[in-house]
Amino acid sequence: MSDLLCPQCGAPVPLRSAAMPYAVCGHCQSVILREGDAATRIGEAASLPFDVSPIELGTRGTAPDGAPFTVAGRVRWGWGDGAWNEWLLALPGGGYAWLGEAMGQFQYLTERKDLLDHPLLRDVAAGGSLPLGAVIELDGRIFTATDVKRATCLGSEGDLPFATPIGLAIDSIDFREPLGAALSIQRDPDGVSAYAGAYIDLGALKPKGLRQIEGWTLPEALR
Amino acid sequence: MTDAPKPQAASPSARAITCPSCGGTIGIKAAGYTVSVACLYCGTVLDVAHDDVRIIAEYHQAVARLDIPLGTRGTLFGVEWEAIGWLERSGAGAVWQEYLLFNPYAGYRWLVLSEGDWQFGTMLTDRPETVSDEVVRWRGNGYELDDEPYRIATRRVLGEFYWRVRAGDQVDAAVFTRGREQLSCEWNAEETQWTQMVPLTGRKVGEAFGPKGTAGPKGKAGPKGKSKAAAAAPQGPYSSWSDRPFSAQGDVRRMLGWGLVALVVMLVVMATLAGDRAGMSGTMQVEVDGGGAHGNYGPVTVNRATQMVTIRLEGQGFTNKWVNVQLSLVNRATHQAIPAEATLEHYSGTDSDGDWSDGDRDATLHLYDVPRGSYNLLIEARAHDWHDPNAITTSSLMPDPLMPNGLPTPDPANPWGLAVKPPPEQIAMRFVVEDGGMDWPLFSTFAVLILGVPCVILIYRLSGGGQR
């Protein structure tokens, strides 16, 4: 499969994950909807502000279940008191997971459609708010809502499962659990989605092809 | 299909912003993570979470001189860290400093300096479980509550942070301890943060972050933030003085520093006055419990108008004996004598507390204000044996438990065990005469007087209750 050309500027748009319907042109920030060999520009994404994340498009690694992944996309979310990255990890067979990166810490999260039937999430989907301290039981663990905030998309790159036009806003609810498991719920114009996983050390993902940052050498554990 | 891995140019590592308050250029090291920056030039706290840099709080304070200047890098636990932020915090009657360390591949750590002790802090992502009011369990181990929870106020900030920091921020805190490791818990209305703290030697920090790492805090007080918990700092010419002598950081180091400076000056002055050291030396043999030994040595020349003469006496390897030494420095021209006396002694033995030893085989005498001239040194020494009254004298016919056959081993040189008078024992005594020389006792007295106060304060603090 060859690269698509951006319908806006003609720059090649490399295909990083065939399963992802959307891509962001790295040259002109066009948000492109891919359907087979056709590419349609459906909007424009904000250009990513500079950051020193150790991850970049093309970084590879091993998921906690042993599956190899490639970093295929990223969305950066901002809120009143900061910002965080969500890296899209393309898994074999068209599956994907998210690597959340905030305050120098990482979470590995996979989508949990089975949670959408939970009464609390139905409430959220219906537009209700989820108060801090609300509790959800999942996989025999108790998760407590510790952080509820409204976030805006600050920029995006690569291949993504949803469109990320400028001004896209979501409600994000983070849960914590004593053993370091993580649960995150997002509500965007298209509905509610839930992601569950755990805090993880970057080294545990055996990453390869991390971003090279001027003046810093890769720690031994990440080579 | 995926990208083939290809060598790429390294991304830049910093983003530059301009302080809207003072116009200084600040390099943001943790771009993307950093939310607020306290300007290194003027102390103004800026919001850099968004593209337009806004002032959160304006402080025109003297920017602190830090033990670890921000931007310094050092390797701890095999990872290189850059010190990017600094907080001065107070709570439970103490003031301490916290450095925020950053590595783009490893995230954030803390380096805490409290009353001269360093700790390395790692934020936890898994919460310790509460076992009881006083015990939490983390990764299988129990940690006990140290003390009553206390309130922490942030007094001063510098550098960059991943949250919206400001002077005057307050959180509640509690510390749980397991051996030398601690779990620190800080909470406010919004969130709870647990941090694991492990001790680090000042030497390790010094090796990692440069020669200043072992130093104590500078404690340069400037106007504090709006924290009510922080006592007002002295103003004007006293602004660098500590406002709370028994808890403010840095004063002890300054006292010790000035004390050392004073001693160095004294040392130089005394050494200069000590003059050139033309020496004379010799050795006398003194018979133990004999008639005493006499010696006349010379010349000893004093070239200045008046000078100190130092005489060192060294008894060679005796024990359970003492030597009384009378000496005079006699002017060859006027026959005026300057007398001095010393006792060399050394005893050892065994009692109910085990082995002991006591005394000093050496002595140093200082003769002050010796006028110019040529002198002879007269030495008279008497040595005496001393018998330990507690020493067990074993009769030769008593079975000795230490001997396998219960009887003393016969001496081939004296098969009958007859009492043999040993030859009289001699003690060798070396003497060294130096005109001039350092008056170490005087110097030590000054050293104790000058450094005593800060040492007492230091001991008081080390024995006092710590925090975090």
Side-chain angles (χ1 to χ4, degrees):
Chain A
M1 199 175 206
S2 62
D3 290 353
L4 283 172
L5 296 183
C6 171
Q8 175 76 7
C9 70
V13 181
L15 181 70
R16 292 183 169 86
S17 167
M20 295 296 132
Y22 297 97
V24 178
C25 170
H27 188 71
C28 70
Q29 311 301 320
S30 291
V31 179
I32 299 162
L33 171 63
R34 268 196 308 236
E35 289 160 310
D37 284 345
T40 322
R41 180 181 188 271
I42 59 158
E44 191 180 343
S47 68
L48 278 165
F50 169 69
D51 71 354
V52 292
S53 169
I55 312 284
E56 64 184 0
L57 296 183
T59 299
R60 301 154 184 280
T62 308
D65 63 1
F69 67 77
T70 304
V71 175
R74 147 161 70 157
V75 187
R76 185 166 177 82
W77 300 102
W79 56 300
D81 275 348
W84 76 94
N85 285 323
E86 288 179 1
W87 297 93
L88 182 94
L89 312 181
L91 294 166
Y96 67 92
W98 290 98
L99 184 62
E101 179 197 6
M103 299 189 306
Q105 295 178 335
F106 294 89
Q107 291 182 343
Y108 180 89
L109 299 161
T110 51
E111 187 162 13
R112 293 292 297 262
K113 290 192 190 299
D114 57 319
L115 255 183
L116 300 179
D117 290 336
H118 195 286
L120 271 174
L121 267 74
R122 286 188 181 180
D123 257 9
V124 173
S129 68
L130 194 66
L132 278 177
V135 168
I136 287 185
E137 190 175 341
L138 175 69
D139 304 338
R141 294 183 173 187
I142 306 291
F143 290 84
T144 310
T146 52
D147 196 9
V148 178
K149 54 182 174 261
R150 179 121 185 117
T152 355
C153 179
L154 297 182
S156 54
E157 61 181 339
D159 296 6
L160 292 165
F162 50 83
T164 51
I166 290 175
L168 171 67
I170 57 164
D171 291 308
S172 164
I173 305 158
D174 282 338
F175 292 77
R176 280 205 166 194
E177 184 271 351
L179 295 175
L183 173 64
S184 171
I185 292 169
Q186 291 186 358
R187 179 173 57 194
D188 59 31
D190 293 340
V192 170
S193 48
Y195 306 88
Y199 277 97
I200 193 163
D201 273 346
L202 187 54
L205 298 173
K206 303 185 194 68
K208 292 273 174 292
L210 288 170
R211 189 196 305 203
Q212 290 178 13
I213 302 163
E214 240 173 53
W216 290 95
T217 49
L218 272 177
E220 202 65 51
L222 297 178
R223 274 172 213 167
Chain B
M1 191 205 115
T2 51
D3 292 336
K6 53 183 182 291
Q8 285 187 307
S11 308
S13 60
R15 166 191 163 203
I17 60 157
T18 301
C19 173
S21 176
C22 71
T25 303
I26 307 165
I28 306 285
K29 302 298 177 44
Y33 303 104
T34 293
V35 170
S36 55
V37 170
C39 175
L40 291 174
Y41 307 107
C42 69
T44 294
V45 185
L46 311 172
D47 174 1
V48 295
H50 310 285
D51 285 344
D52 55 328
V53 175
R54 280 171 301 194
I55 292 178
I56 298 175
E58 198 151 355
Y59 293 106
H60 290 288
Q61 63 179 21
V63 168
R65 286 176 302 150
L66 305 182
D67 295 309
I68 302 175
L70 298 187
T72 308
R73 292 202 187 176
T75 301
L76 288 173
F77 305 103
V79 176
E80 185 183 33
W81 304 100
E82 180 163 336
I84 64 168
W86 173 83
L87 304 168
E88 182 183 71
R89 305 174 90 200
S90 64
V95 180
W96 65 95
Q97 306 178 54
E98 302 186 4
Y99 290 90
L100 182 61
L101 306 179
F102 177 71
N103 172 310
Y105 300 103
Y108 291 99
R109 297 293 185 279
W110 287 103
L111 194 55
V112 178
L113 171 59
S114 171
E115 312 213 321
D117 292 327
W118 293 92
Q119 286 178 304
F120 184 78
T122 307
M123 285 151 281
L124 305 187
T125 48
D126 49 341
R127 247 165 218 247
E129 297 168 273
T130 304
V131 177
S132 72
D133 282 350
E134 308 222 322
V135 179
V136 295
R137 178 175 299 282
W138 181 61
R139 301 192 183 178
N141 293 312
Y143 294 76
E144 280 189 38
L145 180 65
D146 246 13
D147 227 327
E148 286 302 299
Y150 53 96
R151 172 65 59 92
I152 294 178
T154 298
R155 292 162 45 130
R156 292 196 288 162
V157 297
L158 269 186
E160 45 182 292
F161 304 91
Y162 56 81
W163 73 98
R164 220 172 267 303
V165 68
R166 55 181 81 194
D169 282 346
Q170 297 206 1
V171 293
D172 288 304
V175 170
F176 296 81
T177 300
R178 177 172 172 267
R180 301 194 61 211
E181 182 192 339
Q182 294 183 327
L183 295 182
S184 144
C185 180
E186 294 184 10
W187 67 93
N188 59 15
E190 284 83 42
E191 58 173 346
T192 301
Q193 180 64 61
W194 286 85
T195 307
Q196 176 211 27
M197 312 291 297
V198 296
L200 267 183
T201 60
R203 196 172 52 82
K204 267 220 167 70
V205 176
E207 285 167 3
F209 290 94
K212 298 172 79 180
T214 48
K218 289 255 184 295
K220 189 171 177 292
K224 302 295 183 294
K226 298 190 175 72
S227 157
K228 292 186 182 67
Q235 299 295 330
Y238 306 109
S239 63
S240 65
W241 290 28
S242 144
D243 50 333
R244 311 218 313 253
F246 276 84
S247 66
Q249 303 267 356
D251 49 353
V252 166
R253 205 183 57 163
R254 283 203 302 279
M255 280 188 236
L256 286 169
W258 284 112
L260 285 172
V261 167
L263 286 177
V264 167
V265 170
M266 239 173 79
L267 194 64
V268 170
V269 169
M270 286 173 77
T272 310
L273 294 176
D276 47 349
R277 315 193 55 178
M280 176 190 79
S281 64
T283 303
M284 284 176 77
Q285 294 292 335
V286 188
E287 190 181 306
V288 178
D289 289 328
H294 302 266
N296 190 345
Y297 307 92
V300 175
T301 310
V302 174
N303 295 319
R304 299 189 184 191
T306 62
Q307 198 172 318
M308 182 175 73
V309 172
T310 304
I311 300 162
R312 176 146 181 87
L313 302 168
E314 297 165 0
Q316 311 286 314
F318 60 86
T319 191
N320 287 339
K321 293 171 186 55
W322 49 282
V323 183
N324 180 262
V325 184
Q326 308 270 352
L327 46 81
S328 343
L329 204 56
V330 182
N331 187 307
R332 290 179 171 191
T334 64
H335 297 287
Q336 293 235 319
I338 301 169
E341 187 178 4
T343 303
L344 317 181
E345 53 193 338
H346 188 266
Y347 315 103
S348 67
T350 306
D351 62 13
S352 55
D353 293 335
D355 292 348
W356 58 270
S357 71
D358 192 12
D360 193 344
R361 297 188 187 103
D362 305 338
T364 303
L365 299 163
H366 295 291
L367 307 178
Y368 298 95
D369 295 336
V370 178
R372 182 182 288 129
S374 184
Y375 292 84
N376 275 1
L377 177 64
L378 269 54
I379 303 180
E380 221 178 299
R382 285 174 182 276
H384 307 271
D385 213 347
W386 176 79
H387 296 285
D388 184 356
N390 297 325
I392 303 158
T393 48
T394 49
S395 152
S396 62
L397 291 177
M398 284 286 289
D400 186 338
L402 296 178
M403 298 199 183
N405 57 2
L407 287 172
T409 317
D411 176 4
N414 185 12
W416 309 108
L418 296 175
V420 178
K421 193 173 185 320
E425 207 178 335
Q426 301 273 348
I427 292 178
M429 183 181 76
R430 183 179 141 77
F431 62 90
V432 180
V433 183
E434 288 168 336
D435 52 342
M438 276 292 299
D439 185 359
W440 289 112
L442 181 69
F443 181 78
S444 315
T445 307
F446 274 106
V448 169
L449 288 174
I450 289 173
L451 298 179
V453 172
C455 287
V456 166
I457 293 175
L458 194 64
I459 290 162
Y460 167 87
R461 289 188 189 170
L462 290 174
S463 60
Q467 74 295 312
R468 175 152 176 189

